[in-house]
Amino acid sequence: MTADAQGNDLTAVKNVVTSKIIIAPYAAGKQLTASQIASTVADPETSLKSVFGTDQSAVGLITSDGAPQDARDADDATEFHQPGYQMNADPTLTLAFTVAEDNATTRLLTIGKPDTTGVYHVKDIIQDTKWFAYQETVYKSGVTRRRLGVIQITGNEPAQDTRGEVSGLALTATWQIDSAVDSGNSRYLQSYYTAPKA
C-alpha cells in the first residue's frame, strides 16, 4: 500500500512481530562492516560467521514487558554566543531488554564463566566484557531492522523470584565506540531489509 491523500501509510507503521539478539565473544582484529548487514544481504547471520565464528549465541526468549527499548543519554548541548548554533554532547546509546531464559549465554553476560567444576565465583552480576552483537527486529510490514556493533552490559536488575511467574533479568547494553565497528566511526551499524514478496 502507498500513502493515502493525507500522506499516511498504514503498512509503514512500526508494528513489531518479533526480535532477537545474538552475541559472540569480542575478538580484537575482527571488523564489523556495513557489507555484512547491507539491505541486499538476505541472511546476515551467515555473512557474520566470519566474525562471530561458531561461538555466536542468542540471548533467547525476551519477556513481553521487557521488549528491547532504545535510549539516549547525554550532557546538555553546548550553546554559542551567536544565536542558532549548538553542538551536541557525545551521547551514550543503550539497549534495554529483559531476558527470560537462564542459559549459558545469559550467565556469561551476568555472572561470568564457571570453574572446571561448574561453580560460578560471583564478584558482580555484570561483567567487564565486550561482545559483538547483532540485533534484529521484524515488523509486520515485512521490513527487518538490523543492527551490528559492540556492546557491554552496564546494568542488570533481576526480577523477584515469584512462584508461577517468569523471573527475568532486565539488562542494559551500552553500544560502544570501538575500532571494530566501522573503524571506530559509529556506535553501531543499522540497515533495513525488505523480504521479497512471494
Side-chain angles (χ1 to χ4, degrees):
M1 181 176 171
T2 56
D4 61 21
Q6 296 178 345
N8 302 317
D9 183 356
L10 284 173
T11 63
V13 172
K14 288 173 63 174
N15 189 338
V16 177
V17 175
T18 189
S19 62
K20 64 181 167 184
I21 299 169
I22 295 171
I23 64 162
Y26 180 88
K30 292 191 176 181
Q31 293 294 306
L32 304 178
T33 64
S35 63
Q36 294 162 328
I37 60 164
S39 58
T40 54
V41 176
D43 180 18
E45 288 182 55
T46 299
S47 69
L48 289 171
K49 283 197 178 180
S50 62
V51 176
F52 280 42
T54 56
D55 291 333
Q56 70 181 33
S57 304
V59 298
L61 292 169
I62 296 170
T63 64
S64 173
D65 60 352
Q69 181 173 354
D70 297 326
R72 178 189 185 274
D73 187 34
D75 292 332
D76 292 338
T78 301
E79 293 187 36
F80 293 92
H81 172 70
Q82 293 83 356
Y85 292 92
Q86 289 187 344
M87 187 169 54
N88 289 327
D90 282 342
T92 297
L93 302 181
T94 58
L95 175 67
F97 55 97
T98 302
V99 293
E101 291 188 27
D102 176 21
N103 58 37
T105 302
T106 59
R107 291 177 193 164
L108 272 174
L109 289 171
T110 56
I111 58 176
K113 292 182 181 178
D115 65 19
T116 55
T117 66
V119 175
Y120 292 85
H121 300 257
V122 180
K123 294 180 183 172
D124 197 352
I125 57 171
I126 58 175
Q127 302 299 305
D128 293 329
T129 309
K130 294 192 292 188
W131 301 88
F132 289 135
Y134 173 70
Q135 179 196 8
E136 190 174 274
T137 302
V138 179
Y139 300 111
K140 193 173 180 181
S141 63
V143 172
T144 299
R145 184 189 68 198
R146 301 165 169 171
R147 286 186 180 156
L148 182 63
V150 171
I151 62 166
Q152 185 170 346
I153 300 300
T154 53
N156 178 8
E157 295 180 26
Q160 182 177 8
D161 288 336
T162 303
R163 183 171 50 84
E165 294 182 11
V166 173
S167 177
L169 300 173
L171 302 179
T172 300
T174 299
W175 295 100
Q176 302 290 353
I177 291 275
D178 191 279
S179 59
V181 184
D182 196 27
S183 299
N185 293 311
S186 305
R187 293 186 190 277
Y188 58 79
L189 300 168
Q190 182 166 305
S191 68
Y192 296 87
Y193 171 77
T194 303
K197 300 206 176 185

